[in-house]
Amino acid sequence: MDKHQHKDPAEKLSELGYRMTPQRMMILNAVHNATDHISAEEIYSQVRGQYSHLNLSTVYRTLELLKNLKLVTESDFGEGKVRYHSAEKGHHHHLVCQKCGDVNDVNEAVFTSLTDKLSGDYNFTADLRHLTIFGQCAKCNK
Amino acid sequence: MDKHQHKDPAEKLSELGYRMTPQRMMILNAVHNATDHISAEEIYSQVRGQYSHLNLSTVYRTLELLKNLKLVTESDFGEGKVRYHSAEKGHHHHLVCQKCGDVNDVNEAVFTSLTDKLSGDYNFTADLRHLTIFGQCAKCNK
DNA sequence: TTTGCTATTGCCAACATTTGCAAGCAGCGT
DNA sequence: ACGCTGCTTGCAAATGTTGGCAATAGCAAA
Ligand SMILES: [Mn+2]
Ligand SMILES: [Mn+2]
Ligand SMILES: [Zn+2]
Ligand SMILES: [Zn+2]
């Protein structure tokens, strides 16, 4: 059994008055089973395979909800559409290279000095989930 | 005269093979004269007052160009549209409160420890212009 | 000037995402 | 079982932004 068992999503939803519908379940699974960051359109066509009645708006609305519940995170790598990631896969941020397009993960620990400073100097509690930083990567810096 | 005179935009453009057209001039002025962060649509209707032939696509394309030349910066405060800011008004980032919607400026010095760390640990040269950080502001933290 | 090259524009259609609305469904009290 | 209420969905339309394309305008060489 998983010692770090989080509250299961259905429970988390109903606690706040929401319902765990088949659509939401399937969308959540799609994000969870994705090997990489997945887009709304990709989720849509994947889930549509088993439930052809699904509407794209429902995908967007569900992702918005899951994002607010911190079950998924959203990232914009500048490709004109946004991508999603299961929150269970740990917190991290992204470095996107503006030259070669490479995307790399950064541990969120790198940001603690920043959030501490924002908290100390501005009394601002930063909500830094899945931040995307643009710049030039190691390879392109050579 | 201005001791810190930057190269004038027209010069900067032509150096790179671009042209300073009336449209570009008017759009640049609109961003420059704005007291606050201005949206594409706002620029459009403002410039249209003096030049009714202008097309919205031109506004977007011009802003994209000016952004690449670092004459303007772009920020997304999460209102569903993006806003622009003249680069001459100094570098800074933004703290957006998720509770009250308040937007505050942060000096970019707050981010030097972060960029240093990204440079040292990842050899990644971060391009942090006009970053937007979401969270909870001082007022809402009380 | 005239010509030629290419950057730029307007127009329109596509795209990613959000919204309004009316129908459907779950839960709850009667 | 019935009806109320509020959550959820599909559908279609709207929104903000980008892209293709053909016509035009700016610039420089001839
Ligand atoms: Mn990620
Ligand atoms: Mn600004
Ligand atoms: Zn790179
Ligand atoms: Zn606030």
Side-chain angles (χ1 to χ4, degrees), chain B residues 19 21 23-24 57-58 61:
Chain B
R19 298 171 195 159
T21 65
Q23 287 94 329
R24 286 178 178 168
S57 297
T58 304
R61 280 189 289 233

Side-chain angles (χ1 to χ4, degrees), chain A residues 17-19 21 23-24 51 53-55 57-58 61:
Chain A
Y18 300 114
R19 299 171 197 156
T21 64
Q23 287 95 327
R24 285 177 178 171
Y51 182 66
H53 196 55
L54 180 74
N55 191 277
S57 297
T58 305
R61 278 190 288 233

Side-chain angles (χ1 to χ4, degrees), chain A residues 37 85 92 94 130:
Chain A
H37 301 85
H85 188 273
H92 60 267
H94 295 278
H130 235 134

